Amino acid sequence: MYHMVRQMLQKISRLALAVLTTALVWPAHMQASELLMFERGGCVWCQRWDREIGPVYDKTAEAKLLPLRRITTESQAARSITLASPVHYTPTFVVVDNGREIGRITGYVNDDAFWGLLAALAARIAPPRRSANRI
């Protein structure tokens, strides 16, 4: 009898662990939209973006809608992301929504061009629905 109780407790604890793990991992997968920055070491345009945009990006409304994820071109296999075509040039910024590419910015010229192009891509993403009970 004790053996059966012990087995049942082990099953319950495994189930609880699975539920807890899912609860912790699920929010990371729920991020519907993001900005992928494909870069490579020694890229002077990537470094320029880092100097001009990097320090302020996380503080912008765009970052709230499109959190930045950096990917090196060497490890380009963006898991669970469907790209329209491979990335060949750096930096390349890919706007992704629900795992699919919405659009991309290839290269970096200056901050005005970047913000304008990013705004156009961000406009393609539907805003999250608000609950009818929220004010």
Side-chain angles (χ1 to χ4, degrees):
M1 178 152 169
Y2 292 112
H3 180 67
M4 289 174 39
V5 171
R6 191 175 103 213
Q7 285 180 335
M8 187 173 16
L9 287 175
Q10 286 176 338
K11 286 181 183 179
I12 290 171
S13 64
R14 276 185 250 143
L15 179 62
L17 180 62
V19 169
L20 179 61
T21 303
T22 302
L24 293 173
V25 173
W26 188 261
H29 292 290
M30 290 303 294
Q31 179 60 47
S33 304
E34 61 185 335
L35 177 65
L36 306 179
M37 178 182 180
F38 289 87
E39 59 188 341
R40 65 176 165 73
C43 169
V44 296
W45 297 104
C46 300
Q47 293 167 0
R48 185 171 175 189
W49 187 92
D50 284 338
R51 280 192 313 273
E52 296 177 4
I53 305 293
V56 298
Y57 185 79
D58 287 341
K59 301 170 188 160
T60 65
E62 290 84 355
K64 288 177 181 40
L65 177 65
L66 300 168
L68 180 67
R69 179 167 38 136
R70 294 172 177 260
I71 300 172
T72 62
T73 53
E74 292 82 26
S75 65
Q76 185 175 154
R79 292 157 189 78
S80 72
I81 304 294
T82 303
L83 296 176
S85 62
V87 173
H88 297 288
Y89 306 102
T90 59
T92 295
F93 302 91
V94 179
V95 174
V96 177
D97 188 35
N98 292 320
R100 299 189 74 62
E101 180 176 340
I102 299 299
R104 65 175 66 188
I105 303 167
T106 302
Y108 175 77
V109 177
N110 60 40
D111 59 342
D112 287 335
F114 174 79
W115 291 118
L117 293 168
L118 185 62
L121 292 174
R124 295 182 186 177
I125 297 172
R129 291 185 187 179
R130 300 192 102 201
S131 171
N133 297 359
R134 289 191 174 171
I135 297 175

